[in-house]
Amino acid sequence: MVTINDIAKKAKVSKSTVSKVINNYSGVGDDTKEKVLKIMKENNYWPNSVARSLSTKKSYTIGIFGPQILNNFFFREVFEGIEAVMGDKGYDLLYFTNKQWDESWVDYSYKEKCENRNVDGVIMMGYGKVNIAQFDRLLNSEIPSVFIDLDLVGSNTSYVTSDNTGGAKKAVEYLYSLGHRKIAMIRGLNGFKVATDRFVGFQQAVKALNLPYNSKWMFDGDYSMETGYRSMEKILKLDKKPTAIFAEDLIAVGAIKAIREAGLKVPADFSVIGFDSIEVGRHYNLTTIAQDQIGLGQAASKLLLNIINQKSFSPIILPTRLIEGETCKKI
Amino acid sequence: MVTINDIAKKAKVSKSTVSKVINNYSGVGDDTKEKVLKIMKENNYWPNSVARSLSTKKSYTIGIFGPQILNNFFFREVFEGIEAVMGDKGYDLLYFTNKQWDESWVDYSYKEKCENRNVDGVIMMGYGKVNIAQFDRLLNSEIPSVFIDLDLVGSNTSYVTSDNTGGAKKAVEYLYSLGHRKIAMIRGLNGFKVATDRFVGFQQAVKALNLPYNSKWMFDGDYSMETGYRSMEKILKLDKKPTAIFAEDLIAVGAIKAIREAGLKVPADFSVIGFDSIEVGRHYNLTTIAQDQIGLGQAASKLLLNIINQKSFSPIILPTRLIEGETCKKI
DNA sequence: ATAATTAAATAAACCGGTTTCGAAGGAAGT
DNA sequence: ACTTCCTTCGAAACCGGTTTATTTAATTAT
C-alpha cells in the first residue's frame, strides 16, 4: 500500500505538505501542489481512511444497529433509502453484527461500539420498544443518533417514523366509507411502539365514527403471517363476525390465507386492509396504508447528517398513503 | 472517550503494560494484571478498534460490495447468512455505498476502497457478469475476496455458487417425470453467469431426455416479473404451446400472473417451475428449485475466513433442492 | 558475595495520517 | 539597506493503539 510518506519522498517534500495538498489547504505553492498531485495520481494514492479517522475523529462511516434488519422485509427498503443518501454524501455503512456477548460484556454496548469504531453517527432501526437501560448510555453520549420508529430524543438524538396513528385512522375511515361498521384489528407485537400507535389511531377513529367496539375483534400477535392466520381462524368461529379486518401487511396476508382456506373469499366475504405496503402485500393486491420505506431511510439519513453537522433538527413524521388494491369492497 | 493512556495513568503503569493486558500477552505480573483489569472495568474501557487497526492492519471488518444487494430479495437472505457467521467470529460488516464518482476516480475502486478502510476481506455479491478490467486490480491484490455467483479464483480469491446447471437439469427431469415434453424456458439476464449456467443445464437435460427443442420457447429478459409476464403473453399466442415453463422465481411469478389474467390456470393449463426459492415465490406456492441462500452466505463467510487465516480453500458449489409446491401437475 | 539468568516493566518507535508552530526566503515599505 | 510582512514549507507533536528493545529488579547458580 502506498502511503503519504512514499508520496512525500517521491515528491521531495514533507508529509505535511502532501497532507495539505490532499485536503486542499492553503499554504502550498502552485507548482509544488501540481507536482504532488501528479505523483499522487501516478502512484494511484488514496489516503488511508483509518489513519485519517484516528487523528480527525471523523470516519465517514455511519453505524447501523438493528436486531432484525436482515430478516425484515420492511427494513430492507429502509436500508435502500439510507444507502442512497449516505452514499451520495460519501459515507459508507457499518453494519454491527449481533455477536452474543457473555455477561461480562454488558457494558459494551451501542455507545462503546460506536466510539470504538469512530462512527460519525448511528441509525438505530428495528427496535420495537424502548428498554431505557439499553439506550441510556447512547442517548447521554456525544454520538449523533437517529432512531427509526422509536420516539427518543436528546441533545444528539432524534427520530423518524410514519404517522402510524393517522394511518390507522385513515384505514378505519376508508372502511367506513365503504360501508363497513364492524371492524376487527389484529395488532402487531404487544408493547411495540408502532403497534400501539396504530391501535390508538384505530380506537380514535372508531370512537369518532361511533362504531361498535368489540373486544373479541381485537387480537395480539407478532409480525407474522402465522399471527394473521391464527387470529382469522378465531374470527371465523365467532357468532358476531366483523366485516372487515385491519392488520399489518404480513399479518393481513396470513388472514387472507385463512379466509381462503375456509372456502371464503376476499373481498366478497371479508374486506382486508393492511398497513406497511411491503413487497409481499403487493403480490396479493392488498389494499393497504402505505408507509414510505425508502423515504424513512432518506429522512433518517438527512436528519442524522443534520445532527452531525450541528444543524437544527427535530423529529420527522412521514405521512401515510392509502393504496387501493383489491381486498376491500363496498357493502 | 477513555483511552489506553488514561488507564495507564490511573493504574500507574506504562501503556505498553496495559496493551499487554488487553491482548493477554505474557510479561505482566499477576498482581499488575489484576490491577489493570480492575481499572479497565471500572472505567468501562474498550480499546479503540481504529487505532488498533492502524498498527495491526487487522480491523475485524469485512467489506461488502454489490450493486444491487439491497434491492434484491435473494441477497437479503444471503446477507443473513453472512451476518450469522461473521458476527459469530467477531467481525462487523462494512457496506460500501455506491457513490457516483467522476471519471477522475476510475482507479479508485474495490481494491483501493478495501485498502483504504483496512478491511480484512471482502465479499462481492450481486455482480452478474465478469468485467475483467473491473475486478482486475482486486484479484491481483493481497486482499482476501470471495465472489458469490461469479467463478473467479486467484491466490486470495475464491467463490461460492449454487449448482445452477445441475439445478436446471433437475427442473427439466422433474417436469419430464410428470409427463411434460414441451418445455419453455424464460432466461434471466443475457450474459449473466447464473442465467447461462441454468440454460446449459436446461439444454443438457433436453438433449439427454431427447425432448423437442423449440427456439420459440426460449426467452431472454431481466430478473423481473415484467419479463415473465411479457414472455408468457408471447407464449400464449403461439400455435404450438409448451405445457410447462421453467424460469427464475420472480419471472415465474410474472408468468403465472399472465396465465391467470388470460383466464387460464396453473397448473391446470400450464405447469410452472421456478428457480431460487425467494420469499415471494413461496406465497404463490411455487414449485421451484431452491437454492440455499443463507447457506450461500455462510459458505462465503467461512471460505473468506479460511483465506484470511491462510487455510486451504477452494470454490464451493452448493446443491439445489426441489421444492414441490402447487404449480406443477402430472399430465 | 558475585555473576548469570529470568521475569516484569517501560521507553521509544511505529502505523498513516492531521495540525500547530516556527523557520526560511522573497517582496514590499520606508 | 533595513525592517516588516507574507507566503511557502517542514519539524514535531499528536491521535490510540502495538511491538521491539532495553532497563530494572528479583532469583538462582557458582
Side-chain angles (χ1 to χ4, degrees):
Chain A
M1 192 174 62
V2 35
T3 72
I4 197 173
N5 287 303
D6 301 330
I7 300 298
K9 232 169 262 177
K10 294 194 184 188
K12 296 195 174 62
V13 296
S14 72
K15 59 193 282 198
S16 344
T17 300
V18 177
S19 177
K20 284 172 193 164
V21 171
I22 292 171
N23 294 287
N24 203 25
Y25 289 163
S26 62
V28 180
D30 287 346
D31 37 358
T32 311
K33 185 169 179 176
E34 200 79 15
K35 182 175 58 176
V36 172
L37 281 173
K38 180 160 161 282
I39 296 198
M40 278 171 52
K41 186 153 285 181
E42 279 173 13
N43 293 77
N44 197 24
Y45 165 74
W46 301 95
N48 183 283
S49 305
V50 173
R52 183 178 256 184
S53 152
L54 183 60
S55 61
T56 60
K57 305 289 164 223
K58 172 100 183 149
S59 64
Y60 278 96
T61 306
I62 298 298
I64 308 243
F65 276 107
Q68 34 169 279
I69 297 175
L70 301 178
N71 311 335
N72 193 298
F73 313 88
F74 186 81
F75 286 111
R76 187 187 66 73
E77 301 185 46
V78 175
F79 211 111
E80 202 175 322
I82 295 174
E83 202 234 329
V85 172
M86 288 305 185
D88 202 49
K89 301 291 181 191
Y91 288 81
D92 286 322
L93 306 176
L94 184 69
Y95 180 80
F96 288 98
T97 53
N98 300 294
K99 191 181 176 10
Q100 301 299 11
W101 315 98
D102 64 64
E103 323 85 57
S104 71
W105 292 60
V106 284
D107 286 330
Y108 183 59
S109 182
Y110 310 113
K111 178 194 170 205
E112 287 73 21
K113 288 192 191 179
C114 287
E115 288 182 342
N116 219 320
R117 294 217 176 249
N118 287 17
V119 299
D120 298 331
V122 63
I123 293 180
M124 310 287 294
M125 58 197 223
Y127 295 92
K129 47 172 124 181
V130 176
N131 176 334
I132 304 285
Q134 186 184 18
F135 299 125
D136 193 42
R137 283 209 312 292
L138 177 63
L139 293 178
N140 289 311
S141 75
E142 296 293 307
I143 302 155
S145 56
V146 166
F147 282 78
I148 292 181
D149 281 350
L150 277 192
D151 54 340
L152 293 170
V153 292
S155 50
N156 299 296
T157 304
S158 191
Y159 70 95
V160 301
T161 188
S162 290
D163 179 10
N164 288 296
T165 306
K169 266 190 194 164
K170 207 179 282 182
V172 175
E173 286 162 1
Y174 175 66
L175 291 172
Y176 182 88
S177 76
L178 293 181
H180 292 277
R181 297 296 178 268
K182 294 177 287 180
I183 305 174
M185 176 172 183
I186 310 176
R187 288 170 292 191
L189 267 167
N190 199 328
F192 267 45
K193 176 78 172 99
V194 293
T196 305
D197 284 355
R198 290 168 197 170
F199 184 45
V200 167
F202 176 87
Q203 284 179 308
Q204 287 178 352
V206 162
K207 199 167 187 184
L209 297 170
N210 210 15
L211 300 181
Y213 178 82
N214 186 335
S215 65
K216 285 188 180 152
W217 298 342
M218 297 295 127
F219 297 85
D220 276 325
D222 55 13
Y223 187 55
S224 72
M225 284 180 53
E226 187 71 12
T227 283
Y229 190 91
R230 296 258 171 269
S231 303
M232 195 64 215
E233 280 183 333
K234 288 180 193 153
I235 291 178
L236 290 168
K237 284 183 193 139
L238 293 175
D239 294 334
K240 282 181 75 174
K241 296 185 186 61
T243 62
I245 288 92
F246 170 47
E248 290 156 6
D249 275 14
L250 204 57
I251 298 175
V253 167
I256 290 175
K257 282 216 161 179
I259 294 170
R260 291 193 179 151
E261 285 186 19
L264 299 172
K265 284 191 170 161
V266 175
D269 299 298
F270 291 98
S271 283
V272 177
I273 187 167
F275 199 115
D276 276 354
S277 183
I278 56 174
E279 185 69 26
V280 170
R282 289 167 218 159
H283 287 280
Y284 284 82
N285 275 319
L286 185 65
T287 292
T288 194
I289 303 296
Q291 298 189 63
D292 180 4
Q293 283 90 317
I294 294 182
L296 273 174
Q298 293 172 328
S301 303
K302 289 176 188 164
L303 192 54
L304 185 57
L305 290 173
N306 276 346
I307 301 180
I308 291 174
N309 297 320
Q310 316 254 35
K311 293 187 190 153
S312 74
F313 61 90
S314 47
I316 297 176
I317 315 280
L318 293 184
T320 58
R321 190 167 53 91
L322 171 69
I323 293 183
E324 295 193 62
E326 299 171 354
T327 57
C328 288
K329 126 175 180 215
K330 205 164 191 121
I331 61 170
Chain B
M1 191 173 64
V2 35
T3 73
I4 197 173
N5 286 303
D6 301 330
I7 300 298
K9 231 169 263 176
K10 295 193 185 191
K12 297 195 173 61
V13 295
S14 72
K15 58 193 282 200
S16 342
T17 300
V18 178
S19 178
K20 283 176 191 162
V21 172
I22 292 171
N23 294 287
N24 204 25
Y25 289 162
S26 62
V28 181
D30 288 345
D31 38 356
T32 312
K33 185 169 180 177
E34 201 79 15
K35 182 176 59 176
V36 171
L37 281 174
K38 180 160 161 281
I39 296 197
M40 278 172 52
K41 186 152 287 181
E42 279 174 12
N43 292 77
N44 197 23
Y45 165 74
W46 301 95
N48 184 282
S49 305
V50 174
R52 184 178 255 185
S53 153
L54 184 59
S55 61
T56 60
K57 304 291 164 224
K58 171 100 184 147
S59 63
Y60 278 95
T61 305
I62 298 298
I64 308 239
F65 277 107
Q68 33 171 279
I69 296 174
L70 300 178
N71 309 336
N72 193 299
F73 312 89
F74 186 80
F75 286 110
R76 187 188 66 74
E77 301 185 47
V78 175
F79 211 111
E80 202 175 323
I82 296 175
E83 201 233 331
V85 173
M86 287 306 186
D88 202 48
K89 300 292 181 192
Y91 288 82
D92 287 323
L93 305 175
L94 184 69
Y95 180 80
F96 288 98
T97 54
N98 300 294
K99 190 182 176 11
Q100 301 298 10
W101 316 99
D102 65 64
E103 323 85 58
S104 71
W105 292 61
V106 285
D107 285 330
Y108 184 59
S109 181
Y110 310 113
K111 178 195 170 204
E112 287 74 20
K113 288 192 192 179
C114 287
E115 287 182 342
N116 219 320
R117 293 216 175 249
N118 287 18
V119 299
D120 298 332
V122 63
I123 293 180
M124 311 286 295
M125 59 196 221
Y127 296 91
K129 46 173 126 180
V130 176
N131 176 334
I132 304 285
Q134 186 183 17
F135 299 125
D136 193 42
R137 284 209 312 292
L138 177 62
L139 293 178
N140 288 312
S141 76
E142 295 294 307
I143 302 156
S145 56
V146 166
F147 282 78
I148 292 181
D149 281 349
L150 276 192
D151 55 339
L152 293 170
V153 292
S155 51
N156 298 296
T157 303
S158 192
Y159 70 95
V160 302
T161 188
S162 290
D163 179 10
N164 289 294
T165 306
K169 266 189 194 165
K170 208 180 282 183
V172 174
E173 286 162 1
Y174 175 66
L175 291 171
Y176 183 88
S177 76
L178 293 181
H180 293 277
R181 296 296 177 267
K182 293 178 287 180
I183 305 174
M185 176 172 182
I186 311 175
R187 287 170 291 191
L189 267 167
N190 199 329
F192 266 45
K193 176 79 172 98
V194 293
T196 307
D197 284 355
R198 289 168 197 172
F199 184 46
V200 167
F202 176 86
Q203 284 180 308
Q204 287 177 354
V206 162
K207 198 166 187 183
L209 296 170
N210 210 16
L211 300 182
Y213 179 82
N214 186 336
S215 66
K216 284 187 181 152
W217 299 342
M218 297 294 127
F219 297 84
D220 275 324
D222 55 13
Y223 187 55
S224 71
M225 285 180 53
E226 186 72 12
T227 284
Y229 190 90
R230 296 257 170 270
S231 303
M232 194 65 215
E233 280 183 332
K234 289 180 192 152
I235 292 177
L236 289 168
K237 284 183 195 141
L238 293 175
D239 294 333
K240 281 180 75 174
K241 294 185 186 62
T243 62
I245 289 92
F246 170 47
E248 289 155 8
D249 274 14
L250 204 57
I251 298 174
V253 166
I256 290 175
K257 282 216 160 176
I259 294 170
R260 291 194 179 149
E261 284 186 20
L264 299 172
K265 285 192 170 160
V266 175
D269 299 298
F270 290 98
S271 284
V272 177
I273 186 167
F275 199 114
D276 276 354
S277 183
I278 56 174
E279 185 68 26
V280 170
R282 289 166 218 160
H283 288 279
Y284 285 82
N285 276 318
L286 186 65
T287 292
T288 194
I289 303 296
Q291 298 190 63
D292 179 5
Q293 284 89 318
I294 294 182
L296 273 173
Q298 293 172 328
S301 303
K302 288 176 188 165
L303 192 53
L304 185 57
L305 289 173
N306 276 345
I307 301 180
I308 291 173
N309 297 320
Q310 317 254 35
K311 292 188 191 153
S312 75
F313 62 90
S314 47
I316 296 176
I317 315 281
L318 293 185
T320 58
R321 190 167 54 90
L322 171 69
I323 293 183
E324 295 193 61
E326 300 171 355
T327 56
C328 288
K329 131 177 177 215
K330 205 164 191 121
I331 61 171

